[in-house]
Amino acid sequence: MKRFLTFLLLAALTAAGADAKIYTLSSPDRKTEVTVDAGRQIVWSVTHQGREVLAPSVVSMTVDGKVIGWDAKVKSAKTEKVKQTVPSPLWRQASLDECYNQLTLTFADGWGLTFRAYDGEGVGYRWWSTSVKKGACVTAECAEFNFSHDYTTYVPYSTGTKNPYATSFESQYTVAPLSAVRPDQPAFTPLLVCLDGGLRLEITDSDIESYPGMFLRKGQGLSLKGDFAPVPEKVRETPTRGQVYVDEYSDVLAVIHESASKKAPRCFPWRLLAIAEKDIDLPVNNLVWLTASPSRVNDISWIKPGKVAWDWWNDWNITGVDFPAGINTETYKYYIDFAAANGIEYVVLDEGWSEPLDIMKIKPAIDLKELCRYAEAKHVDLILWAVCYVLDKDLEKACKTYGKMGVKGFKVDFMDRDDQPVTEMLYRIAEACARHELLVDYHGMYKPAGMDRTWPNVINFEGVWGLEQMKWSKDDMVGYDVTFPFIRMLSGPVDYTQGATRNARKQDYVPSNSNPMSQGTRARQVAEYIIFDSPLVMLCDNPSAYMKEQQTTGFIASIPTVWDETRVLQGEIGQFIVTARRSGSTWYVGGLTNWDARDLKIDLSALGLKGEYDAMIFRDGVNATRNATDYKLEPLKVQTKKPLQVHLAPGGGFVLVVE
């Protein structure tokens, strides 16, 4: 039956375009092949090592009533091969080897398609135009992803109810066959499809600039189709916080702001298929970063990654002080003192330091100039929280004023959309902050999609179901922790906000706003500093708690946040993961399990090590099954001839440091 359906599809394509031109593009290692049928419709398909990855799927764009890609006349077809090493100093490793073949189809009407096939990463395409004029409107885009089998998928549905495009991009994954994907609610990307034989496929996009991000909806049969938020027609601002909600949408996906030319074509986002032969290849797939636009910050020496003492998760709930704890100068000096004593680079002032609707009005309880002076004397830097729309209103003034005062960046929150006005706003904020040498940490945000390459001062992104959920949610975070690194992290770093010192077994956990805890063990929280990509990473708990747990605090503070090399040694999606990262000559190996206890064997020879080494291990304590805070930090000798055996408690983890 499947062969018959495939025959019918090919027959239909032949009838629709008898004069079609067929183009093929292989990756340099010839493992992956893209076929493009440029007939009356443009149809592409993909195979990997002879196995179908993507069934024939139509692509097109509709601009000012014209469907680009229908009856397209191919004017030229150009191929090229690229092999180079690309510096990636704030990515998961210091440099990347990039190797791909490229096919560029130019059509007679000034539009074109570029396809790429990478070694070890995957494939993708993007539209571009040298003829589109200022004011032109994109009203539709067809991005199909068709399959011949009812594969298992991991789907992160939008949480928007009345408006499906309004979401914080934080969802657990629904595991279901393609046939059971909901047609009534879009999912955001990346989305994972588990192909036959252990082959994995992630659908996502990159280089989303002045264009909406890509959701996916269930199409007919075993199909997923790109879905895009239109430009809002009518919006309203909340009077309490300055968030903006959409009440009505237009019929337009994007408006072209500048006329294109041969020297400056208008490029649209990449539609990507990341391909992995096994689960452990997914967290270190670099396709999104490689297809992003290069850095627009010429000198990045001022961009300082590091750790942050954070206030909001722990509800400013410090103890043993002689002043009322809260959003005030005295409390933040306490956070600064803690950061300075532990070599933590930043303190963030989260929501409440300024008036909600005016970022230029500081609350009377906060003496920001004094805090900047105090922090500078302690060699600690400050980051200010802001609602994106409120910051955008006074963007230049805020950057100039607070940058001059000594503030080093903004934590920007509550975008909760990825339509064209929002993606433009985020690039605008990134550019202004870069000019004033300010970092940006985006929250309430879609996945990075390569923005961290283009604007490396945007040093982290939320878009993850992170530890903040433990303030109110009873859902399973331990299972999520060993799932999202294989899916969401493919797109870039996550501001997950780990570091809890109140740790709970599955049966002991309860959500709490003012005294939140984590699910799983203490060693798990420490291991997350190794497992998760995060060049700017929070210490979520309060300084009072950390000072009572100085051994844990000191160990966390010693872990780097940027790396020379990253490898995933073992893992299975939803089950466990073991990641090794190198900083200089030191390897940090971290592991997480789900709620199943697990015994692992760590083969250090896989890291190119030979002989005996001094090491430190932070692991689950013998009694972690009774009390999740139980851990053991101890030195040991490790031999590369003999794998190291490590026991992980339910919800457990470990970190091994090898000099």
Side-chain angles (χ1 to χ4, degrees):
M1 180 64 179
K2 291 174 181 175
R3 290 183 178 179
F4 178 66
L5 290 174
T6 303
F7 172 78
L8 286 180
L9 178 59
L10 291 173
L13 290 172
T14 302
D19 58 344
K21 292 184 178 180
I22 308 297
Y23 303 89
T24 59
L25 174 71
S26 296
S27 58
D29 61 10
R30 307 199 67 80
K31 286 186 176 182
T32 307
E33 184 170 277
V34 178
T35 300
V36 182
D37 186 337
R40 292 184 181 175
Q41 290 182 307
I42 297 175
V43 180
W44 75 313
S45 59
V46 183
T47 61
H48 183 80
Q49 292 189 320
R51 289 182 288 176
E52 183 183 79
V53 170
L54 182 73
S57 302
V58 175
V59 302
S60 70
M61 292 185 71
T62 303
V63 182
D64 286 346
K66 180 183 178 182
V67 181
I68 311 299
W70 284 11
D71 293 320
K73 302 295 188 294
V74 178
K75 184 178 179 181
S76 66
K78 178 184 176 183
T79 59
E80 59 180 306
K81 180 177 180 178
V82 173
K83 185 176 183 180
Q84 59 186 352
T85 299
V86 184
S88 51
L90 296 171
W91 188 239
R92 57 180 67 108
Q93 56 193 63
S95 64
L96 297 174
D97 292 328
E98 183 177 35
C99 189
Y100 66 85
N101 288 334
Q102 180 168 289
L103 167 67
T104 300
L105 300 180
T106 302
F107 306 124
D109 57 5
W111 282 80
L113 270 171
T114 296
F115 294 85
R116 284 186 187 173
Y118 282 82
D119 279 355
E121 310 287 359
V123 301
Y125 74 87
R126 81 183 313 172
W127 286 98
W128 53 269
S129 177
T130 59
S131 61
V132 68
K133 301 299 182 183
K134 180 179 179 179
C137 294
V138 180
T139 54
E141 179 181 346
C142 178
E144 284 185 349
F145 303 95
N146 296 328
F147 300 92
S148 300
H149 302 277
D150 198 7
Y151 297 120
T152 298
T153 61
Y154 285 70
V155 184
Y157 287 109
S158 164
T159 54
T161 52
K162 293 182 180 180
N163 177 4
Y165 304 119
T167 178
S168 61
F169 302 90
E170 304 167 31
S171 291
Q172 292 265 21
Y173 294 97
T174 298
V175 183
L178 276 163
S179 59
V181 173
R182 291 173 55 185
D184 61 322
Q185 189 74 349
F188 51 86
T189 56
L191 183 151
L192 175 65
V193 181
C194 299
L195 306 176
D196 291 336
L199 200 62
R200 301 292 185 247
L201 175 71
E202 286 198 32
I203 305 171
T204 192
D205 48 350
S206 76
D207 223 20
I208 307 169
E209 183 173 2
S210 190
Y211 200 84
M214 184 172 69
F215 289 84
L216 292 170
R217 280 189 188 266
K218 177 74 161 53
Q220 291 185 349
L222 303 177
S223 176
L224 298 169
K225 301 191 73 170
D227 188 29
F228 308 90
V231 174
E233 184 86 14
K234 184 184 294 185
V235 299
R236 56 186 164 85
E237 181 180 298
T238 61
T240 55
R241 194 187 253 165
Q243 293 170 259
V244 174
Y245 294 96
V246 179
D247 287 329
E248 293 181 17
Y249 284 106
S250 69
D251 296 326
V252 174
L253 299 186
V255 179
I256 306 302
H257 298 307
E258 300 288 341
S259 294
S261 66
K262 290 183 179 180
K263 290 184 178 180
R266 172 55 158 99
C267 294
F268 296 86
W270 285 95
R271 309 292 171 226
L272 300 177
L273 302 178
I275 301 170
E277 295 180 358
K278 47 190 179 297
D279 286 357
I280 63 173
D281 295 333
L282 289 169
V284 289
N285 184 288
N286 301 302
L287 185 63
V288 170
W289 194 92
L290 289 169
T291 51
S293 294
S295 175
R296 296 174 189 170
V297 182
N298 294 326
D299 176 15
I300 65 169
S301 61
W302 58 271
I303 300 174
K304 185 175 75 174
K307 299 184 184 69
V308 186
W310 187 33
D311 51 1
W312 180 85
W313 191 82
N314 54 75
D315 200 29
W316 300 265
N317 198 359
I318 59 176
T319 57
V321 297
D322 298 324
F323 53 84
I327 305 172
N328 55 52
T329 301
E330 292 84 358
T331 297
Y332 282 114
K333 283 188 174 182
Y334 184 87
Y335 278 78
I336 292 167
D337 287 341
F338 162 72
N342 289 278
I344 295 167
E345 290 85 356
Y346 295 96
V347 169
V348 67
L349 280 66
D350 214 287
E351 184 173 13
W353 68 273
S354 70
E355 292 295 332
L357 303 181
D358 189 346
I359 196 174
M360 302 311 299
K361 290 184 179 179
I362 303 169
K363 291 284 186 70
I366 296 291
D367 187 341
L368 189 57
K369 287 184 178 179
E370 169 60 15
L371 286 176
C372 287
R373 183 205 65 78
Y374 190 79
E376 183 180 16
K378 298 276 187 173
H379 304 290
V380 175
D381 291 323
L382 301 183
I383 294 172
L384 302 178
W385 179 93
V387 170
C388 59
Y389 306 102
V390 176
L391 173 62
D392 193 47
K393 289 178 182 177
D394 284 304
L395 181 57
E396 191 63 28
K397 185 177 181 182
C399 289
K400 184 176 181 180
T401 300
Y402 294 124
K404 186 177 180 181
M405 196 180 291
V407 170
K408 299 301 181 182
F410 291 106
K411 176 182 174 181
V412 184
D413 210 345
F414 290 118
M415 288 66 86
D416 296 338
R417 293 158 38 203
D418 68 351
D419 51 48
Q420 185 187 31
V422 166
T423 60
E424 290 176 343
M425 174 179 63
L426 297 185
Y427 272 73
R428 182 166 61 244
I429 291 172
E431 185 276 332
C433 286
R435 279 191 285 105
H436 292 276
E437 296 192 353
L438 295 168
L439 299 179
V440 180
D441 179 11
Y442 275 139
H443 271 242
M445 169 70 178
Y446 54 88
K447 75 277 180 182
M451 189 189 294
D452 49 329
R453 180 182 185 183
T454 308
W455 293 107
N457 62 309
V458 184
I459 200 166
N460 213 348
F461 303 76
E462 195 179 20
V464 66
W465 200 78
L467 204 71
E468 69 177 24
Q469 302 290 332
M470 298 297 92
K471 289 169 74 74
W472 55 76
S473 176
K474 294 182 179 180
D475 292 334
D476 177 20
M477 174 139 276
V478 163
Y480 181 78
D481 290 345
V482 290
T483 301
F484 87 81
F486 298 93
I487 305 175
R488 158 63 179 83
M489 217 163 68
L490 177 139
S491 189
V494 292
D495 198 0
Y496 175 97
T497 68
Q498 59 267 39
T501 61
R502 286 174 294 280
N503 317 111
R505 300 179 304 163
K506 191 174 188 178
Q507 59 268 43
D508 297 334
Y509 166 77
V510 290
S512 172
N513 182 67
S514 291
N515 287 287
M517 63 184 70
S518 70
Q519 295 178 7
T521 69
R522 172 72 59 80
R524 177 185 201 82
Q525 287 294 298
V526 176
E528 289 173 349
Y529 288 92
I530 307 298
I531 301 297
F532 305 155
D533 291 331
S534 198
L536 185 77
V537 63
M538 303 290 163
L539 277 74
C540 69
D541 224 325
N542 74 65
S544 304
Y546 283 126
M547 286 188 283
K548 293 174 184 176
E549 298 284 353
Q550 192 57 51
Q551 190 177 59
T552 298
T553 303
F555 191 84
I556 291 172
S558 71
I559 299 173
T561 65
V562 292
W563 307 94
D564 295 309
E565 189 176 354
T566 296
R567 304 184 193 181
V568 179
L569 303 181
Q570 303 175 42
E572 181 181 345
I573 185 168
Q575 300 297 313
F576 75 104
I577 184 170
V578 178
T579 299
R581 300 185 191 261
R582 181 177 59 81
S583 176
S585 60
T586 303
W587 280 99
Y588 295 76
V589 183
L592 301 176
T593 183
N594 56 11
W595 285 117
D596 297 328
R598 199 175 301 273
D599 291 297
L600 298 176
K601 292 183 178 180
I602 311 302
D603 181 7
L604 296 176
S605 66
L607 302 176
L609 302 177
K610 294 181 179 180
E612 184 178 84
Y613 293 85
D614 291 324
M616 291 289 293
I617 190 166
F618 194 115
R619 60 172 175 81
D620 294 324
V622 173
N623 294 306
T625 53
R626 298 179 60 190
N627 187 331
T629 63
D630 187 38
Y631 72 90
K632 187 75 172 178
L633 175 60
E634 60 185 351
L636 71 163
K637 298 282 188 181
V638 292
Q639 294 273 356
T640 57
K641 292 182 179 180
K642 183 180 179 181
L644 176 68
Q645 297 191 29
V646 183
H647 177 75
L648 278 64
F654 78 92
V655 174
L656 177 71
V657 183
V658 183
E659 297 288 346

